[in-house]
Amino acid sequence: MGRELQKKKNRSSFPKVKHKSKSKKLNVRGNATVAANWDQSLTLSQNYRRLGLTSKLNASTGGTEKPSSSITSSFAASAPQKDAFSINSKLPTTLVPTEARIERDPSTGAILRVIRPENRKRENPLNDALNEFSESEPDAIVADISPQVPTGIVGELEAQASLIAKKRPRQQSKREEEWIENLVATYGEDYRRMVRDRKLNPMQQSEGDLRRRVRRWNERRGVA
């Protein structure tokens, strides 16, 4: 059955539909900085990686090469490793006794405060690796968080992206200037008659639109 249908298709007078490829060829060297540092012997991903850029914002789904070092180390990485900065959520089962001085109220005997020695070791019930850094020692834990200025190709590209493009005002074409010149020569400043003229104003531009076009045309000619 399938063979007979195939024969009918071959004898059909309708031409076969050929779908064009939807993929478009991108000009990856459109930027002058990237084009100057592009290596023709490398692939797109390799060039982007060398320049400090990325060709895909999402994670790769396949088709990327793996270095030999990552393949050999994949077996060692598969073994579970203990994170030094992980917090153990389990409560401790045993408590280490410590010494402290209790200050009581002379009349009632109620505990007012607990005075602990200054040289004692800080309590760490959750086994936090950063427990030794306290709030009283800000110099030990506060790092330099000033933003780093990127250098090299990435810095040049970011500098180009930060530049604000100057907005170029719309310019009237030569054909539009000739059209406005015919309207002004025929009607002067009578915009209502310009609107009603279907021959000189075939697109039926409004009175306000014609007034703006004539004003720009006069400004370009230096007429107030």
Side-chain angles (χ1 to χ4, degrees):
M1 186 65 182
R3 187 174 180 181
E4 295 298 328
L5 292 176
Q6 190 65 33
K7 289 181 179 179
K8 289 182 180 180
K9 290 180 182 179
N10 295 334
R11 292 195 300 267
S12 176
S13 60
F14 294 99
K16 294 182 179 179
V17 179
K18 295 182 179 180
H19 298 280
K20 295 182 180 180
S21 177
K22 295 182 180 180
S23 60
K24 297 181 179 179
K25 190 174 181 180
L26 301 178
N27 184 15
V28 294
R29 295 184 298 164
N31 185 276
T33 305
V34 176
N37 297 274
W38 194 264
D39 191 352
Q40 291 284 357
S41 61
L42 301 179
T43 63
L44 184 142
S45 299
Q46 291 172 345
N47 272 293
Y48 271 44
R49 193 182 305 112
R50 185 175 61 86
L51 298 178
L53 307 174
T54 177
S55 58
K56 295 181 179 180
L57 297 180
N58 299 327
S60 177
T61 57
T64 57
E65 58 182 353
K66 292 184 178 180
S68 58
S69 59
S70 63
I71 299 176
T72 54
S73 61
S74 60
F75 298 98
S78 60
Q81 298 180 358
K82 186 177 179 181
D83 190 2
F85 296 99
S86 62
I87 299 177
N88 187 8
S89 59
K90 296 181 179 179
L91 296 176
T93 56
T94 58
L95 297 176
V96 180
T98 57
E99 295 181 357
R101 187 163 61 89
I102 299 175
E103 184 177 343
R104 297 179 179 272
D105 189 356
S107 58
T108 60
I111 299 176
L112 298 178
R113 61 173 180 166
V114 178
I115 303 174
R116 304 179 185 275
E118 296 182 357
N119 57 352
R120 68 179 181 86
K121 188 177 181 180
R122 185 173 298 276
E123 296 181 358
N124 190 11
L126 298 178
N127 298 324
D128 187 5
L130 301 177
N131 185 67
E132 296 297 329
F133 301 97
S134 62
E135 296 180 356
S136 60
E137 299 173 347
D139 298 336
I141 59 175
V142 176
D144 185 12
I145 56 176
S146 58
Q148 297 181 356
V149 179
T151 57
I153 299 175
V154 178
E156 294 181 15
L157 294 176
E158 290 189 359
Q160 293 177 9
S162 62
L163 297 177
I164 301 176
K166 295 182 179 180
K167 188 175 181 181
R168 183 174 178 267
R170 179 184 174 276
Q171 302 292 331
Q172 291 179 339
S173 63
K174 186 177 180 180
R175 188 185 183 98
E176 184 179 356
E177 289 180 351
E178 293 176 355
W179 168 60
I180 296 175
E181 185 177 0
N182 291 334
L183 287 173
V184 174
T186 305
Y187 298 106
E189 295 184 356
D190 193 350
Y191 298 101
R192 292 187 178 181
R193 294 180 63 189
M194 291 182 187
V195 173
R196 291 194 295 267
D197 191 337
R198 292 183 177 274
K199 186 176 181 181
L200 292 180
N201 186 19
M203 302 305 294
Q204 293 296 289
Q205 303 290 345
S206 64
E207 181 179 347
D209 184 72
L210 291 174
R211 192 184 299 273
R212 287 191 296 270
R213 291 174 187 267
V214 173
R215 185 177 67 250
R216 292 175 184 172
W217 179 70
N218 289 328
E219 289 176 354
R220 184 166 183 179
R221 293 170 57 245
V223 179

